Amino acid sequence: MKLLAGLNGWMLPVAAIAGFIFGGVWYGALSKQWMDAAGLTKDEIAARGRNVAHPFIITLLCQLVMAWMLAGVILHLSKGGAPATAMMGATTAAFLWLGFVVTTQIVNHQFQMQKMMLTVIDCVHWLGVMLIQGAILGAYGIAR
């Protein structure tokens, strides 16, 4: 599957699913802390009457887009002479996380008047997702 020349497109869903699984483990382990930080209870979440599958489907689709964009950045860096490796992919992901994800989360959570702990929980989640995706895509996502 070729989405960008030089990109192993089959690794995009692999990276997206790996990040999705990490999120399930992360928020499963921190569900009580997350609900406290978000100011929600199980009853309030259930009372919203939303389709339970909806956020998971959207999350998986967004993880796929994230993997595709991250792979594009790694691909362009590898064409500049930096070899695509798991370390290069993870390092690239960490820089993008710090420059775009953390800053966006902080601004959004501040204007939404969320607790700092929610920002920490969410930002560390996205760091884990991006490091996993970056390592997978750096190691296997660039056709050699």
Side-chain angles (χ1 to χ4, degrees), residues 2-122:
K2 293 283 187 187
L3 300 173
L4 292 170
L7 178 64
N8 179 358
W10 294 109
M11 293 313 296
L12 297 178
V14 170
I17 291 167
F20 184 82
I21 291 168
F22 172 79
V25 171
W26 179 257
Y27 285 111
L30 295 174
S31 60
K32 182 180 178 347
Q33 293 90 335
W34 181 87
M35 284 192 297
D36 288 345
L40 296 170
T41 66
K42 287 182 180 180
D43 292 336
E44 289 172 326
I45 293 169
R48 293 184 182 195
R50 204 164 168 196
N51 179 346
V52 176
H54 184 259
F56 294 101
I57 294 166
I58 296 299
T59 299
L60 190 54
L61 291 173
C62 288
Q63 294 257 357
L64 189 58
V65 171
M66 181 181 282
W68 186 19
M69 295 302 103
L70 183 54
V73 172
I74 294 168
L75 175 66
H76 285 287
L77 289 172
S78 70
K79 287 183 177 179
T85 64
M87 181 58 78
M88 185 268 236
T91 302
T92 300
F95 277 112
L96 294 173
W97 171 80
L98 182 60
F100 297 101
V101 176
V102 171
T103 55
T104 302
Q105 289 283 300
I106 290 171
V107 169
N108 286 349
H109 285 173
Q110 286 298 302
F111 277 101
Q112 294 166 1
M113 296 180 212
Q114 297 291 338
K115 294 177 183 173
M116 184 53 83
M117 184 52 68
L118 182 64
T119 305
V120 170
I121 291 169
D122 289 346

